[in-house]
Amino acid sequence: QLVLTLVELLRKLIEKQALRRVDSGSLSDEEIERIGLTLMKLEERMEELKTLFKLTDKDLNINLGPLGDLM
C-alpha cells in the first residue's frame, strides 16, 4: 500500500509538471504526444495494481496527522 501510494504521488507530480511544460510551450508536438501516452499507460497500470491489491484511491490517501491527507 505504501509503495503504491508513493508511486501515485509521483505520478501526480509528474503529470502536473508535464502540464506546466505543455502550457509554457516548451515541448514539441511529438513530446506532448509521448508524454500523454506515457501518463495514460501509467494511470492504467496503477488501476490494474489497485485492483490486484484490492485498494482504492482512498486507501492510497494516507493521513499525515496534523498535516492532513497526503493527496
Side-chain angles (χ1 to χ4, degrees), residues 23-35:
D23 290 343
S24 73
S26 66
L27 298 174
S28 69
D29 289 343
E30 182 179 306
E31 289 171 321
I32 293 170
E33 182 71 21
R34 200 171 15 174
I35 287 172

Side-chain angles (χ1 to χ4, degrees):
Q1 180 178 351
L2 180 58
V3 171
L4 285 182
T5 297
L6 292 173
V7 170
E8 181 65 9
L9 178 62
L10 290 172
R11 185 190 71 77
K12 287 183 178 186
L13 291 172
I14 290 169
E15 187 175 306
K16 285 183 181 185
Q17 180 63 28
L19 288 173
R20 283 189 199 111
R21 290 188 66 195
V22 167
D23 290 343
S24 73
S26 66
L27 298 174
S28 69
D29 289 343
E30 182 179 306
E31 289 171 321
I32 293 170
E33 182 71 21
R34 200 171 15 174
I35 287 172
L37 289 173
T38 301
L39 289 172
M40 285 184 351
K41 287 178 184 177
L42 182 55
E43 186 173 0
E44 288 172 6
R45 184 64 178 141
M46 278 300 296
E47 291 301 320
E48 291 171 10
L49 290 170
K50 286 189 293 188
T51 300
L52 178 66
F53 293 107
K54 296 179 175 78
L55 297 170
T56 65
D57 288 335
K58 186 177 179 181
D59 295 325
L60 300 182
N61 193 8
I62 295 174
N63 184 292
L64 300 174
L67 298 175
D69 292 337
L70 182 62
M71 293 183 270

